[in-house]
Amino acid sequence: MSAVLQTLDTADGAFTILEEDGRVLASGWTADADAILARLRPDHQPASVAPGRVRAADAVAAYYDGDLTAIDLVPVTQVGTAMQAAGWAALRRIPAGRPLTYAEFAVHLGSPAAVRAAASICARNAPALFVPCHRVLRTGGALGGFAWGLDVKRRLLEREATI
């Protein structure tokens, strides 16, 4: 596999996207290409990566310009179990401005007792922003973990709360 990597400046800092064949493989708030690649299992990392322009960059710019739905239809590719795939698909259905708790997310997955599995699905999400795991909170509304830092998560949720 060969992929393209682009880093954009955003209101939340550098945001890097790894894309292959027009599909986002991984992304996050860093300019460190190795940190983005590390979000993928080693056996699913592209054979080569080159800097360039990715299709998803326009959606990120639109999101930061106020079109919070611009990220919704960006194609992504993730490899995981059937439950992970269902979870990542469910994350994409959480509307901006309407975050869920991990317990509510587990209910959406059809497994109300699987709160830890729901949290694990979020933790293993590689195409951050496009699969909006930042929209899942701890019970009581605490931010919980986020691979790219709680400050970024807080700002994303604040931006999305304006709708």
Side-chain angles (χ1 to χ4, degrees), residues 21-64:
D21 296 327
R23 301 180 74 77
V24 176
L25 303 178
S27 53
W29 288 266
T30 181
D32 182 353
D34 290 336
I36 296 299
L37 286 166
R39 300 295 297 165
L40 302 173
R41 291 181 6 195
D43 59 331
H44 287 97
Q45 291 183 0
S48 64
V49 176
R53 174 120 172 94
V54 299
R55 292 181 192 169
D58 292 336
V60 173
Y63 174 87
Y64 276 98

CSV table of all heavy atoms in Angstrom, one decimal, residues 21-64:
chain,number,residue,atom,x,y,z
A,21,ASP,N,-6.0,6.0,-1.4
A,21,ASP,CA,-7.1,5.9,-2.3
A,21,ASP,C,-8.3,6.7,-1.9
A,21,ASP,O,-9.5,6.2,-2.0
A,21,ASP,CB,-7.5,4.4,-2.5
A,21,ASP,CG,-6.4,3.5,-3.1
A,21,ASP,OD1,-5.6,4.1,-3.9
A,21,ASP,OD2,-6.2,2.4,-2.7
A,22,GLY,N,-8.1,7.9,-1.4
A,22,GLY,CA,-9.2,8.8,-1.0
A,22,GLY,C,-9.9,8.4,0.3
A,22,GLY,O,-11.0,9.0,0.6
A,23,ARG,N,-9.4,7.5,1.0
A,23,ARG,CA,-10.0,7.1,2.3
A,23,ARG,C,-9.0,7.4,3.4
A,23,ARG,O,-7.8,7.0,3.4
A,23,ARG,CB,-10.3,5.6,2.3
A,23,ARG,CG,-11.3,5.2,1.1
A,23,ARG,CD,-11.6,3.8,1.1
A,23,ARG,NE,-12.5,3.4,2.1
A,23,ARG,CZ,-13.8,3.6,2.2
A,23,ARG,NH1,-14.4,4.2,1.2
A,23,ARG,NH2,-14.6,3.2,3.2
A,24,VAL,N,-9.5,8.0,4.5
A,24,VAL,CA,-8.7,8.3,5.7
A,24,VAL,C,-8.4,7.0,6.4
A,24,VAL,O,-9.3,6.3,6.8
A,24,VAL,CB,-9.3,9.4,6.6
A,24,VAL,CG1,-8.5,9.6,7.8
A,24,VAL,CG2,-9.5,10.7,5.8
A,25,LEU,N,-7.1,6.8,6.7
A,25,LEU,CA,-6.7,5.6,7.5
A,25,LEU,C,-6.5,6.0,8.9
A,25,LEU,O,-6.8,5.3,9.9
A,25,LEU,CB,-5.4,5.0,6.9
A,25,LEU,CG,-5.3,4.6,5.5
A,25,LEU,CD1,-3.9,4.1,5.1
A,25,LEU,CD2,-6.4,3.5,5.3
A,26,ALA,N,-5.9,7.2,9.1
A,26,ALA,CA,-5.6,7.7,10.5
A,26,ALA,C,-5.5,9.2,10.4
A,26,ALA,O,-5.1,9.8,9.4
A,26,ALA,CB,-4.3,7.1,11.0
A,27,SER,N,-5.7,9.9,11.5
A,27,SER,CA,-5.6,11.3,11.6
A,27,SER,C,-5.6,11.7,13.1
A,27,SER,O,-6.0,11.0,14.0
A,27,SER,CB,-6.8,12.0,10.9
A,27,SER,OG,-8.0,11.5,11.4
A,28,GLY,N,-5.0,12.9,13.3
A,28,GLY,CA,-5.0,13.4,14.7
A,28,GLY,C,-4.3,14.7,14.8
A,28,GLY,O,-3.6,15.2,13.8
A,29,TRP,N,-4.3,15.3,16.0
A,29,TRP,CA,-3.8,16.6,16.2
A,29,TRP,C,-2.3,16.6,16.6
A,29,TRP,O,-1.9,16.7,17.7
A,29,TRP,CB,-4.6,17.3,17.3
A,29,TRP,CG,-6.0,17.7,16.8
A,29,TRP,CD1,-6.3,18.9,16.2
A,29,TRP,CD2,-7.1,16.9,16.7
A,29,TRP,NE1,-7.6,18.9,15.8
A,29,TRP,CE2,-8.1,17.7,16.1
A,29,TRP,CE3,-7.4,15.6,17.0
A,29,TRP,CZ2,-9.4,17.1,15.8
A,29,TRP,CZ3,-8.6,15.1,16.8
A,29,TRP,CH2,-9.6,15.8,16.2
A,30,THR,N,-1.5,16.4,15.5
A,30,THR,CA,0.0,16.3,15.7
A,30,THR,C,0.6,16.6,14.3
A,30,THR,O,-0.1,16.4,13.3
A,30,THR,CB,0.4,15.0,16.2
A,30,THR,OG1,1.8,15.0,16.3
A,30,THR,CG2,0.0,13.8,15.3
A,31,ALA,N,1.8,17.0,14.3
A,31,ALA,CA,2.5,17.1,13.0
A,31,ALA,C,3.5,15.9,12.9
A,31,ALA,O,4.2,15.8,11.9
A,31,ALA,CB,3.3,18.4,13.0
A,32,ASP,N,3.5,15.0,13.8
A,32,ASP,CA,4.4,13.9,13.9
A,32,ASP,C,3.8,12.7,13.1
A,32,ASP,O,2.8,12.0,13.5
A,32,ASP,CB,4.6,13.5,15.3
A,32,ASP,CG,5.5,12.3,15.5
A,32,ASP,OD1,6.0,11.7,14.5
A,32,ASP,OD2,5.8,12.0,16.7
A,33,ALA,N,4.4,12.5,11.9
A,33,ALA,CA,3.9,11.4,11.0
A,33,ALA,C,4.0,10.0,11.7
A,33,ALA,O,3.1,9.2,11.6
A,33,ALA,CB,4.7,11.4,9.7
A,34,ASP,N,5.0,9.8,12.5
A,34,ASP,CA,5.1,8.5,13.2
A,34,ASP,C,4.0,8.3,14.2
A,34,ASP,O,3.5,7.2,14.4
A,34,ASP,CB,6.5,8.4,13.9
A,34,ASP,CG,7.6,8.3,13.0
A,34,ASP,OD1,7.4,7.8,11.8
A,34,ASP,OD2,8.8,8.7,13.4
A,35,ALA,N,3.5,9.4,14.9
A,35,ALA,CA,2.4,9.3,15.8
A,35,ALA,C,1.1,8.9,15.1
A,35,ALA,O,0.3,8.1,15.6
A,35,ALA,CB,2.2,10.6,16.6
A,36,ILE,N,1.0,9.4,13.9
A,36,ILE,CA,-0.2,9.0,13.1
A,36,ILE,C,-0.1,7.6,12.6
A,36,ILE,O,-1.1,6.8,12.7
A,36,ILE,CB,-0.4,10.0,11.8
A,36,ILE,CG1,-0.6,11.4,12.3
A,36,ILE,CG2,-1.5,9.5,10.9
A,36,ILE,CD1,-1.9,11.6,13.1
A,37,LEU,N,1.0,7.2,12.1
A,37,LEU,CA,1.2,5.8,11.7
A,37,LEU,C,1.1,4.8,12.9
A,37,LEU,O,0.5,3.7,12.7
A,37,LEU,CB,2.6,5.6,11.0
A,37,LEU,CG,2.7,6.2,9.6
A,37,LEU,CD1,4.2,6.3,9.2
A,37,LEU,CD2,1.9,5.4,8.6
A,38,ALA,N,1.4,5.2,14.0
A,38,ALA,CA,1.3,4.4,15.2
A,38,ALA,C,-0.1,4.1,15.6
A,38,ALA,O,-0.4,3.1,16.4
A,38,ALA,CB,2.1,5.0,16.4
A,39,ARG,N,-1.1,4.8,15.1
A,39,ARG,CA,-2.5,4.6,15.3
A,39,ARG,C,-3.0,3.3,14.6
A,39,ARG,O,-4.0,2.8,14.9
A,39,ARG,CB,-3.3,5.8,14.9
A,39,ARG,CG,-3.0,7.1,15.7
A,39,ARG,CD,-3.3,7.0,17.1
A,39,ARG,NE,-4.7,6.8,17.4
A,39,ARG,CZ,-5.2,6.4,18.6
A,39,ARG,NH1,-4.4,6.2,19.6
A,39,ARG,NH2,-6.5,6.2,18.7
A,40,LEU,N,-2.2,2.9,13.6
A,40,LEU,CA,-2.5,1.7,12.8
A,40,LEU,C,-1.8,0.5,13.3
A,40,LEU,O,-0.6,0.6,13.7
A,40,LEU,CB,-2.2,1.9,11.4
A,40,LEU,CG,-2.8,3.1,10.7
A,40,LEU,CD1,-2.3,3.3,9.3
A,40,LEU,CD2,-4.3,2.9,10.6
A,41,ARG,N,-2.4,-0.7,13.3
A,41,ARG,CA,-1.7,-1.9,13.5
A,41,ARG,C,-0.5,-2.0,12.6
A,41,ARG,O,-0.7,-1.7,11.4
A,41,ARG,CB,-2.6,-3.1,13.4
A,41,ARG,CG,-3.7,-3.2,14.5
A,41,ARG,CD,-4.6,-4.4,14.4
A,41,ARG,NE,-4.2,-5.4,13.4
A,41,ARG,CZ,-5.1,-6.3,13.0
A,41,ARG,NH1,-6.3,-6.4,13.5
A,41,ARG,NH2,-4.7,-7.2,12.1
A,42,PRO,N,0.6,-2.5,13.0
A,42,PRO,CA,1.8,-2.6,12.1
A,42,PRO,C,1.5,-3.4,10.8
A,42,PRO,O,2.0,-3.0,9.8
A,42,PRO,CB,2.8,-3.4,13.0
A,42,PRO,CG,2.5,-3.0,14.4
A,42,PRO,CD,1.0,-2.9,14.4
A,43,ASP,N,0.7,-4.4,10.9
A,43,ASP,CA,0.4,-5.2,9.7
A,43,ASP,C,-0.6,-4.5,8.7
A,43,ASP,O,-0.9,-5.0,7.6
A,43,ASP,CB,-0.1,-6.6,10.0
A,43,ASP,CG,-1.4,-6.6,10.9
A,43,ASP,OD1,-1.6,-5.6,11.6
A,43,ASP,OD2,-2.1,-7.6,10.8
A,44,HIS,N,-1.1,-3.3,9.1
A,44,HIS,CA,-2.0,-2.5,8.3
A,44,HIS,C,-1.5,-1.1,8.0
A,44,HIS,O,-2.2,-0.3,7.5
A,44,HIS,CB,-3.4,-2.4,9.0
A,44,HIS,CG,-4.1,-3.7,8.9
A,44,HIS,ND1,-4.2,-4.6,10.0
A,44,HIS,CD2,-4.9,-4.3,7.9
A,44,HIS,CE1,-4.9,-5.6,9.6
A,44,HIS,NE2,-5.3,-5.5,8.4
A,45,GLN,N,-0.2,-0.9,8.2
A,45,GLN,CA,0.4,0.3,7.8
A,45,GLN,C,0.8,0.3,6.4
A,45,GLN,O,1.1,-0.8,5.8
A,45,GLN,CB,1.7,0.6,8.7
A,45,GLN,CG,1.3,0.9,10.1
A,45,GLN,CD,2.5,1.2,11.0
A,45,GLN,OE1,3.7,1.2,10.5
A,45,GLN,NE2,2.3,1.5,12.2
A,46,PRO,N,0.7,1.4,5.7
A,46,PRO,CA,1.0,1.5,4.3
A,46,PRO,C,2.5,1.1,4.0
A,46,PRO,O,3.3,1.4,4.9
A,46,PRO,CB,0.7,2.9,3.8
A,46,PRO,CG,0.1,3.6,5.0
A,46,PRO,CD,0.2,2.7,6.2
A,47,ALA,N,2.7,0.5,2.8
A,47,ALA,CA,4.1,0.2,2.5
A,47,ALA,C,5.0,1.4,2.3
A,47,ALA,O,6.1,1.4,2.6
A,47,ALA,CB,4.1,-0.6,1.2
A,48,SER,N,4.3,2.5,1.8
A,48,SER,CA,5.1,3.8,1.7
A,48,SER,C,4.1,4.9,1.9
A,48,SER,O,2.9,4.8,1.7
A,48,SER,CB,5.7,3.9,0.2
A,48,SER,OG,4.6,3.9,-0.7
A,49,VAL,N,4.7,6.0,2.4
A,49,VAL,CA,4.0,7.2,2.7
A,49,VAL,C,4.7,8.4,2.1
A,49,VAL,O,5.9,8.5,2.3
A,49,VAL,CB,3.8,7.4,4.2
A,49,VAL,CG1,3.1,8.7,4.5
A,49,VAL,CG2,3.1,6.2,4.8
A,50,ALA,N,4.0,9.3,1.4
A,50,ALA,CA,4.6,10.5,0.8
A,50,ALA,C,3.8,11.7,1.2
A,50,ALA,O,2.6,11.6,1.3
A,50,ALA,CB,4.7,10.3,-0.7
A,51,PRO,N,4.5,12.8,1.4
A,51,PRO,CA,3.7,14.0,1.7
A,51,PRO,C,2.9,14.4,0.4
A,51,PRO,O,3.4,14.2,-0.7
A,51,PRO,CB,4.8,15.1,2.0
A,51,PRO,CG,6.0,14.5,1.5
A,51,PRO,CD,5.9,13.0,1.4
A,52,GLY,N,1.8,15.1,0.6
A,52,GLY,CA,1.0,15.5,-0.5
A,52,GLY,C,-0.3,16.1,0.0
A,52,GLY,O,-0.5,16.3,1.2
A,53,ARG,N,-1.2,16.3,-1.0
A,53,ARG,CA,-2.5,16.8,-0.7
A,53,ARG,C,-3.5,15.7,-0.6
A,53,ARG,O,-3.6,14.8,-1.5
A,53,ARG,CB,-3.0,17.8,-1.8
A,53,ARG,CG,-4.4,18.3,-1.6
A,53,ARG,CD,-4.4,19.8,-1.5
A,53,ARG,NE,-5.8,20.3,-1.6
A,53,ARG,CZ,-6.5,20.6,-0.5
A,53,ARG,NH1,-6.0,20.4,0.7
A,53,ARG,NH2,-7.7,21.0,-0.6
A,54,VAL,N,-4.3,15.7,0.5
A,54,VAL,CA,-5.3,14.6,0.7
A,54,VAL,C,-6.7,15.2,0.5
A,54,VAL,O,-6.9,16.4,0.7
A,54,VAL,CB,-5.2,14.0,2.1
A,54,VAL,CG1,-3.9,13.3,2.3
A,54,VAL,CG2,-5.5,15.0,3.2
A,55,ARG,N,-7.6,14.4,0.0
A,55,ARG,CA,-9.0,14.9,-0.3
A,55,ARG,C,-9.7,15.4,1.0
A,55,ARG,O,-10.5,16.3,1.0
A,55,ARG,CB,-9.8,13.7,-0.9
A,55,ARG,CG,-9.4,13.3,-2.2
A,55,ARG,CD,-10.3,12.2,-2.8
A,55,ARG,NE,-9.7,11.7,-4.0
A,55,ARG,CZ,-10.2,10.5,-4.5
A,55,ARG,NH1,-11.2,9.9,-4.0
A,55,ARG,NH2,-9.6,10.1,-5.6
A,56,ALA,N,-9.5,14.7,2.1
A,56,ALA,CA,-10.1,15.1,3.4
A,56,ALA,C,-9.8,16.4,3.9
A,56,ALA,O,-10.5,17.0,4.8
A,56,ALA,CB,-9.8,14.0,4.4
A,57,ALA,N,-8.7,17.1,3.4
A,57,ALA,CA,-8.3,18.4,3.9
A,57,ALA,C,-9.4,19.4,3.7
A,57,ALA,O,-9.6,20.3,4.6
A,57,ALA,CB,-7.0,18.8,3.2
A,58,ASP,N,-10.1,19.4,2.6
A,58,ASP,CA,-11.2,20.3,2.4
A,58,ASP,C,-12.3,20.2,3.5
A,58,ASP,O,-12.9,21.2,4.0
A,58,ASP,CB,-11.8,20.2,1.0
A,58,ASP,CG,-10.9,20.6,-0.1
A,58,ASP,OD1,-9.9,21.4,0.2
A,58,ASP,OD2,-11.0,20.1,-1.2
A,59,ALA,N,-12.6,19.0,3.9
A,59,ALA,CA,-13.6,18.7,4.9
A,59,ALA,C,-13.1,19.3,6.3
A,59,ALA,O,-13.9,19.8,7.0
A,59,ALA,CB,-14.0,17.3,5.0
A,60,VAL,N,-11.9,19.1,6.6
A,60,VAL,CA,-11.3,19.6,7.8
A,60,VAL,C,-11.4,21.2,7.8
A,60,VAL,O,-11.8,21.8,8.8
A,60,VAL,CB,-9.9,19.2,8.1
A,60,VAL,CG1,-9.3,19.8,9.3
A,60,VAL,CG2,-9.8,17.6,8.2
A,61,ALA,N,-11.0,21.8,6.7
A,61,ALA,CA,-11.1,23.2,6.6
A,61,ALA,C,-12.6,23.7,6.8
A,61,ALA,O,-12.8,24.7,7.6
A,61,ALA,CB,-10.5,23.7,5.3
A,62,ALA,N,-13.5,23.0,6.2
A,62,ALA,CA,-14.9,23.4,6.3
A,62,ALA,C,-15.4,23.2,7.7
A,62,ALA,O,-16.2,24.0,8.2
A,62,ALA,CB,-15.7,22.5,5.3
A,63,TYR,N,-15.0,22.1,8.4
A,63,TYR,CA,-15.4,21.9,9.8
A,63,TYR,C,-14.9,23.0,10.6
A,63,TYR,O,-15.7,23.6,11.4
A,63,TYR,CB,-14.8,20.5,10.3
A,63,TYR,CG,-15.0,20.3,11.7
A,63,TYR,CD1,-16.1,19.6,12.2
A,63,TYR,CD2,-14.0,20.7,12.7
A,63,TYR,CE1,-16.3,19.4,13.5
A,63,TYR,CE2,-14.2,20.4,14.0
A,63,TYR,CZ,-15.4,19.8,14.5
A,63,TYR,OH,-15.5,19.6,15.8
A,64,TYR,N,-13.7,23.4,10.5
A,64,TYR,CA,-13.1,24.5,11.3
A,64,TYR,C,-13.7,25.9,10.9
A,64,TYR,O,-13.6,26.8,11.7
A,64,TYR,CB,-11.6,24.5,11.3
A,64,TYR,CG,-11.0,23.5,12.3
A,64,TYR,CD1,-10.6,22.3,12.0
A,64,TYR,CD2,-11.0,23.9,13.7
A,64,TYR,CE1,-10.2,21.4,12.9
A,64,TYR,CE2,-10.5,23.0,14.6
A,64,TYR,CZ,-10.1,21.8,14.3
A,64,TYR,OH,-9.6,20.9,15.2
